[in-house]
Amino acid sequence: MRLRKALALAAVFVVSTAPTASADIGTGGGARPAPALPSRVEAVCGDGKSTQFPIGARIRGGPAVYRTGGAAQTWYLDLTNTTTTECTAIHPVVVFTDPARALRPAHFRMEFDAPGSTFPVSLERTDRDEIVAVFDGGDAFSGFTVGPGGSVTVTVRLAFAPGAPLGEAVADAALVQRKGDDGDWIGEAGGYRFEVQGPDAQTGEAGALADTGLTTGAWAYGAGAAAALAGGGGLLLGARRLRKGPGPQSA
């Protein structure tokens, strides 16, 4: 299914399914279409016939606690090519969700490493109050390339500004590949949950590794972030950011 038709059916998909984010997604579910993207390169990934995601993805190594106003902390997004062909023009899109829906782009300090440089992510808020971080990089970055059967680890640094709202949050990621004047959803990873605490908080331990994968109860809202990805909301906004390139971040 190509992309524009998939977006038209997005609302039905979200209502009729209840996806749950989990760690190490990327081995099933089929490559889902992503919103239309202009092409900097002609991308290919797999034979297009498999029902499996061509790129396996995993978020790992992130801290369990971030202090507002603190230094950036590092986590990693692993991309694994499960096909026998090179996959190019891969742009991660990370969706942050907090139960209070209080986080705003201005609260984030976030960047990623790409070959030869470091780039800030493009941040924007959806109409459902999710925060979407697009690994764009403008004209200087045409996306990640993963060789057949190979892996690439993307280093990500994240911090929260003084005055950022406190509480729990979860991050889920989708991998979007530019493909001509369209784009495909070729992988996903989810379940990085963490807590934003004040600079002098006495609970939790900054720097401790967070869990990945979602549990029931308080973390059930993480499925909402996955639903946003499945429904195309976060991806549609991410696609718009990729079209127009990095610019002023939304408040």
Side-chain angles (χ1 to χ4, degrees):
M1 183 190 301
R2 294 311 296 163
L3 211 133
R4 293 174 180 84
K5 182 178 179 182
L7 289 177
L9 297 175
V12 176
F13 180 85
V14 174
V15 170
S16 62
T17 62
T20 302
S22 62
D24 301 327
I25 299 177
T27 58
R32 304 185 181 104
L37 302 173
S39 178
R40 294 193 188 103
V41 295
E42 188 67 25
V44 294
C45 191
D47 60 12
K49 299 177 182 178
S50 174
T51 60
Q52 308 296 311
F53 276 128
I55 300 293
R58 180 170 67 118
I59 297 172
R60 64 174 175 85
V65 173
Y66 291 86
R67 307 288 192 194
T68 57
Q73 300 193 71
T74 300
W75 47 275
Y76 304 95
L77 177 60
D78 293 330
L79 313 178
T80 300
N81 186 345
T82 64
T83 77
T84 57
T85 62
E86 183 178 71
C87 293
T88 62
I90 300 169
H91 291 267
V93 176
V94 177
V95 178
F96 293 92
T97 309
D98 64 300
R101 307 290 182 173
L103 286 170
R104 297 294 182 266
H107 297 137
F108 289 75
R109 306 287 184 266
M110 188 174 178
E111 63 184 17
F112 67 97
D113 288 346
S117 191
T118 297
F119 299 99
V121 300
S122 297
L123 290 161
E124 202 159 329
R125 180 166 56 100
T126 73
D127 58 4
R128 290 188 267 188
D129 293 325
E130 300 123 351
I131 304 301
V132 176
V134 183
F135 291 46
D136 181 12
D139 292 336
F141 177 61
S142 60
F144 293 101
T145 296
V146 187
S151 296
V152 168
T153 295
V154 181
T155 300
V156 183
R157 282 173 288 275
L158 175 64
F160 287 87
L166 309 184
E168 299 170 333
V170 66
D172 296 280
L175 306 179
V176 177
Q177 182 190 47
R178 295 174 184 269
K179 199 168 189 177
D181 290 330
D182 256 320
D184 282 339
W185 183 357
I186 60 170
E188 59 184 11
Y192 172 30
R193 55 187 186 273
F194 57 87
E195 186 172 359
V196 180
Q197 297 184 358
D200 300 321
Q202 297 300 312
T203 59
E205 183 180 350
L209 294 182
D211 292 332
T212 55
L214 294 176
T215 59
T216 57
W219 290 105
Y221 72 90
L229 291 172
L235 286 175
L236 182 59
L237 184 54
R240 191 176 78 197
R241 298 296 301 188
L242 283 167
R243 283 201 300 272
K244 68 184 181 180
Q249 297 176 353
S250 300

